[in-house]
Amino acid sequence: MARGGTGRGRRALVRVAVVVRAGAAPLWWCGLGTAALGLIPPGLTGRLIGLYGGVLLFVLAAALTAYPRRARYRAGQEGAARAARDDILRDRAVTVRAWRRGHRWWLALAVLAALGSAFAAPAAGGLVLAGCGTGLWLKARWLGRAESRAEVLYWLPADRLNGRGGGPVSRTAGDWATTGAGAGDAAPGGARRR
């Protein structure tokens, strides 16, 4: 549990970086698998053009996922207060499970759409999904560097996330909290502690 006291009452806190990172692996692996399956049909553009276009879309998707809303993350970091002594720190696995459960149908629809797009541009749709996963991973790494520089970990009340277990900087999110770098079971950036 975190040390310190703010008098805000007992709260369940989730790691911001873990929420961001939770979608990286499923998007990456589903994207790669879908891209491989998407190479089976020749498509309207042909496999080579579809693959080249997919690589460009991969880079674009990664950038559009990794860089937006950083000002909101910085605002959350700057306004973060020390977590209260009786705040509960949610395990990394619980946070990841909640995100993936909340997004499973969106992910399934994205995979189906990517497979359907393969008949027009082979592999391109799958590489877009993989790019989104890469962008989330890069954003989590960026948060990890911020945590390492500040020598704290950033947390958010669990009830401030959206109904799917995500949205750490949505309009309803706020009241970030900090703990020491050794708190919880996830390293800076949201990865498992070794």
Side-chain angles (χ1 to χ4, degrees):
M1 291 200 184
R3 302 204 176 272
T6 60
R8 288 174 298 209
R10 194 173 193 181
R11 303 174 301 172
L13 299 177
V14 296
R15 275 287 299 286
V16 178
V18 171
V19 176
V20 171
R21 192 184 182 106
L27 282 167
W28 167 258
W29 289 113
C30 286
L32 287 187
T34 305
L37 290 173
L39 286 173
I40 295 173
L44 297 176
T45 63
R47 291 186 183 94
L48 193 59
I49 293 175
L51 194 57
Y52 284 153
V55 170
L56 290 175
L57 290 172
F58 172 92
V59 173
L60 183 62
L64 290 176
T65 306
Y67 292 104
R69 296 187 170 186
R70 288 198 176 188
R72 290 190 183 184
Y73 284 94
R74 290 191 187 98
Q77 293 164 20
E78 292 166 2
R82 185 76 173 167
R85 183 181 299 273
D86 58 351
D87 283 340
I88 300 169
L89 306 182
R90 183 182 284 181
D91 291 342
R92 178 185 185 277
V94 176
T95 303
V96 170
R97 201 162 44 242
W99 189 99
R100 292 180 181 174
R101 188 182 303 120
H103 290 81
R104 63 187 183 277
W105 295 114
W106 291 100
L107 187 59
L109 288 172
V111 168
L112 289 174
L115 285 173
S117 72
F119 291 97
L127 288 173
V128 169
L129 291 182
C132 291
T134 301
L136 289 176
W137 181 80
L138 290 171
K139 184 170 282 185
R141 293 280 303 215
W142 172 75
L143 280 167
R145 289 192 296 273
E147 289 177 326
S148 295
R149 283 194 303 271
E151 297 183 345
V152 298
L153 301 178
Y154 293 109
W155 301 78
L156 184 71
D159 61 2
R160 294 301 183 97
L161 298 178
N162 63 30
R164 295 187 301 276
V169 291
S170 64
R171 294 187 183 277
T172 59
D175 298 331
W176 283 31
T178 62
T179 63
D185 64 346
R192 290 189 187 92
R193 288 194 187 277
R194 295 182 180 178

